[in-house]
Amino acid sequence: MSSGFDFDQEINREGTHSVKYDGRQNMFGKSDVIPVWVADMDFAAPPAVTRALTERAAHPIYGYTLFPDSLYDSLISWMQRRHGWVIQRDWIILCPGVVPSINAAVMAFTQPGESVIIQPPVYFPFFSAVTQTGRKLIQNPLHLENGRYTIDFDHLEHCAKEAKLLLLCSPHNPVGRVWQPAELERLLDIAAKHDVIVFSDEIHADLIYPGNQHHTLAAFPGHAAKIITAIAPSKTFNIPGLNLSALIIPDQSIRNAVTQVFNTMHISASNPFSIAAFEAAYREGEAWLEALLIYLRDTRDCVETFLAEHLPEIKIIKAEGTYLLWLDCRAWNRTDAQLKHFFVHEAGVGMSPGILFGTEGSGFMRLNIGAPRKTVLSVMQNIKRAWHSKKN
């Protein structure tokens, strides 16, 4: 590629204990499907990350490790440079992943039986973080109209009257929305009015398509006190297996409450390789990311064109961010079980069924386009062949 990064390179991941590839049998009941489900990409990580890991591996002792000043500095610089948010070091809690952090927030700020709001269709650990800890799940479903999802604010206001915590997905997985300032400001006003803490999962914040802009919730003036922001280099730079993320919490009392939960469970994220990759990605990965965003945009547009020409019954929800596409297959009038069977056993494609993201996902499928374009187009061709052979 002209950028110097080859996103068309096909890398064999089988036999690396990859969830996405080596987990196909367990997930789909067969291993000969093109895996476009779990949210990691099939692209080599930025060269700076591989170099940092190699250099760290060259030292033969892998003991308990401190978080260096330079790691914090790389994150602070990234957030200011990419998102215009000036943060302080003592706001940062480093932790082993966003999902554990969601669970920690639920445990820190609610008691069993108290209410937590989620906005389905949404990333499925949002559900389990609430239900598995004995909290009450309140659903504020997103509203789909004219191919675009929006927040039902009147209903959100009603939900907020009894809730202690709101789990926000921004940008939203799986529907690909990048929330606009007016939307976020209204959400913040409702949260402030009803004294609701907001956990803002912004793990996809760097994966924004040209023409859209991510707005960090806690950066809005006057609102940071009740917000927990979760970010990570894992989706951005394709290093999710290294399990290091960060919570940014300006309010000390909220920060202390989350820290207490982590301390109770003796959770540590101080892996020497995670630290090396985290810092290298934020310090040297920007050019790689810029090239990736163009590649993903072009792939997204290819999928949209292909579906319009060959499978017009499938309506694509235009992704404003993330490398996940939300496909509306309801025009086929198939049950969710029938949809999954068709894609897996007739098309040979392993996507995430929309029903995993809540009942509002029924009739939808989530497609991961973080792969060489040849792979994604093979997925499209497989679906086309299987569907047209079924019709004929």
Side-chain angles (χ1 to χ4, degrees):
M1 293 176 61
S2 59
S3 65
F5 305 108
D6 186 5
F7 297 110
D8 287 318
Q9 180 187 12
E10 297 181 69
I11 302 171
N12 184 4
R13 298 181 61 186
E14 293 183 44
T16 64
H17 313 296
S18 158
V19 170
K20 188 175 184 180
Y21 281 79
D22 297 321
R24 284 177 289 183
Q25 183 68 44
N26 285 338
M27 180 64 184
F28 301 109
K30 57 186 296 190
S31 58
D32 58 337
V33 296
I34 304 174
V36 280
W37 58 301
V38 67
D40 67 9
M41 296 186 284
D42 291 340
F43 305 129
V49 169
T50 302
R51 186 164 59 248
L53 289 170
T54 303
E55 290 171 359
R56 180 60 188 87
H59 191 292
I61 298 176
Y62 313 118
Y64 296 117
T65 307
L66 297 170
F67 294 115
D69 292 342
S70 55
L71 180 144
Y72 289 94
D73 292 343
S74 70
L75 175 57
I76 291 167
S77 176
W78 182 266
M79 294 306 295
Q80 182 171 3
R81 192 168 70 251
R82 297 290 298 191
H83 300 290
W85 188 25
V86 179
I87 62 174
Q88 299 175 21
R89 175 175 167 160
D90 63 3
W91 295 357
I92 301 169
I93 301 173
L94 294 163
C95 42
V98 171
V99 173
S101 300
I102 295 171
N103 283 265
V106 169
M107 289 186 279
F109 302 112
T110 64
Q111 296 298 317
E114 291 184 329
S115 299
V116 180
I117 302 169
I118 67 170
Q119 296 173 309
V122 72
Y123 183 46
F124 45 86
F126 279 44
F127 293 86
S128 58
V130 179
T131 58
Q132 291 182 4
T133 54
R135 274 62 174 176
K136 181 181 177 183
L137 188 68
I138 298 183
Q139 301 190 46
N140 169 229
L142 300 180
H143 182 60
L144 176 60
E145 187 173 1
N146 299 322
R148 194 165 190 258
Y149 282 89
T150 56
I151 295 171
D152 184 342
F153 287 105
D154 291 339
H155 185 251
L156 177 61
E157 176 107 38
H158 175 75
C159 295
K161 292 176 182 177
E162 68 165 289
K164 295 292 183 84
L165 180 68
L166 165 64
L167 304 181
L168 175 70
C169 199
S170 177
H172 194 282
N173 170 14
V175 308
R177 268 305 313 276
V178 174
W179 304 115
Q180 296 300 305
E183 294 171 305
L184 295 173
E185 286 174 339
R186 188 166 179 192
L187 182 147
L188 285 167
D189 287 342
I190 291 171
K193 178 180 176 181
H194 298 284
D195 197 30
V196 174
I197 294 171
V198 181
F199 184 103
S200 186
D201 174 1
E202 302 188 15
I203 195 171
H204 293 277
D206 297 315
L207 297 166
I208 308 297
Y209 292 108
N212 300 279
Q213 182 180 350
H214 173 75
H215 298 275
T216 302
L217 190 69
F220 284 80
H223 285 287
K226 290 282 189 177
I227 300 170
I228 302 164
T229 304
I231 61 98
S234 55
K235 304 299 183 188
T236 305
F237 301 106
N238 200 33
I239 51 174
L242 292 174
N243 288 338
L244 181 56
S245 66
L247 297 178
I248 305 171
I249 311 175
D251 183 87
Q252 184 174 349
S253 63
I254 291 181
R255 197 164 60 244
N256 289 347
V258 174
T259 301
Q260 179 60 38
V261 174
F262 282 134
N263 289 344
T264 300
M265 295 186 286
H266 297 278
I267 288 177
S268 171
S270 56
N271 179 307
F273 294 101
S274 300
I275 290 169
F278 185 108
E279 181 176 344
Y282 280 137
R283 197 173 296 285
E284 302 179 65
E286 199 155 10
W288 182 91
L289 174 60
E290 291 293 347
L292 171 71
L293 290 174
I294 298 301
Y295 190 88
L296 289 175
R297 179 202 64 190
D298 291 347
T299 301
R300 177 201 66 178
D301 293 348
C302 281
V303 171
E304 185 171 9
T305 299
F306 187 97
L307 291 175
E309 291 179 358
H310 302 290
L311 292 161
E313 300 94 344
I314 299 179
K315 305 299 183 187
I316 188 170
I317 305 300
K318 185 86 170 189
E320 300 166 352
T322 83
Y323 51 80
L324 305 166
L325 300 187
W326 192 233
L327 305 181
D328 184 350
C329 306
R330 291 176 297 173
W332 281 355
N333 293 316
R334 298 291 192 273
T335 66
D336 292 297
Q338 288 171 335
L339 272 181
K340 182 177 180 180
H341 185 276
F342 167 76
F343 284 113
V344 171
H345 295 282
E346 297 178 53
V349 171
M351 287 190 281
S352 297
I355 195 68
L356 292 177
F357 304 91
T359 56
E360 292 77 11
S362 180
F364 290 78
M365 300 294 291
R366 192 188 74 174
L367 168 66
N368 177 353
I369 61 167
R373 197 164 300 133
K374 179 181 177 183
T375 300
V376 177
L377 290 176
S378 293
V379 166
M380 294 293 103
Q381 290 289 355
N382 279 18
I383 298 171
K384 174 189 170 184
R385 277 195 302 269
W387 181 247
H388 287 297
S389 68
K390 196 177 187 69
K391 289 172 66 177
N392 293 334

